[in-house]
Structures are given as structure tokens and as C-alpha cells.
Amino acid sequence: NSDDVPFQTYKAAEQYAEKTCSNIYYLTLEVMGVRNHAADHIASHIGTAEGLVNLIRSVPFLASKGKFRLPLDVCAQYGVVQNDVL
């Protein structure tokens, strides 16, 4: 996903968060010699949560730059309008 466009769906934001933030946790487990499915599962969830939190935390900064990244399906569900955020 480009940094200049919103995510179309929550699922797309979630997948992006997992792909970009979970890797550090997978690498940490590997360096520590942990080879465990449950630990990998936890790392995936922690990374995804961190990525989504980062997305929410970035709203004020991105809005100041005229950018909006929140998932459009969630915004529509809750009546959030891009122009109101910017």
C-alpha cells in the first residue's frame, strides 16, 4: 500500500501491519533459538497490533501533511469523513 492513500479495508491494514511489524518479532524468536508455533502465532498478533496502533498514532501527523490512511470501510461504518480528519 502506498503511503499516500488510505487502506480500502481493515483487512488490508491488518495485513500490512502484520507484514511490516511482525518480522522483527519473528527475527527475535529466531535469534533466541525459539522454534515454536505458539510463539510465532503470538509474534504475529503482537506485530499486527503494533502496526495498527502505529497507524492510529500517525493520524495527527499524517493529517498535518494532508494524508489520510485509516481504512475506508471502518470509516464508513462509523461515519468518519476524511475531510473532517484533515
Side-chain angles (χ1 to χ4, degrees), residues 59-76:
V59 169
F61 174 77
L62 293 175
S64 75
K65 306 288 183 198
K67 297 180 181 180
F68 183 83
R69 302 280 324 274
L70 296 176
L72 297 178
D73 61 342
V74 176
C75 290

Side-chain angles (χ1 to χ4, degrees), residues 1-34:
N1 189 49
S2 169
D3 287 341
D4 293 332
V5 297
F7 292 97
Q8 293 297 309
T9 64
Y10 173 79
K11 186 69 175 170
E14 187 178 54
Q15 289 171 342
Y16 180 82
E18 202 277 332
K19 287 180 182 178
T20 57
C21 293
S22 295
N23 290 331
I24 192 70
Y25 297 107
Y26 298 142
L27 288 172
T28 301
L29 291 173
E30 189 172 326
V31 166
M32 295 174 58
V34 176

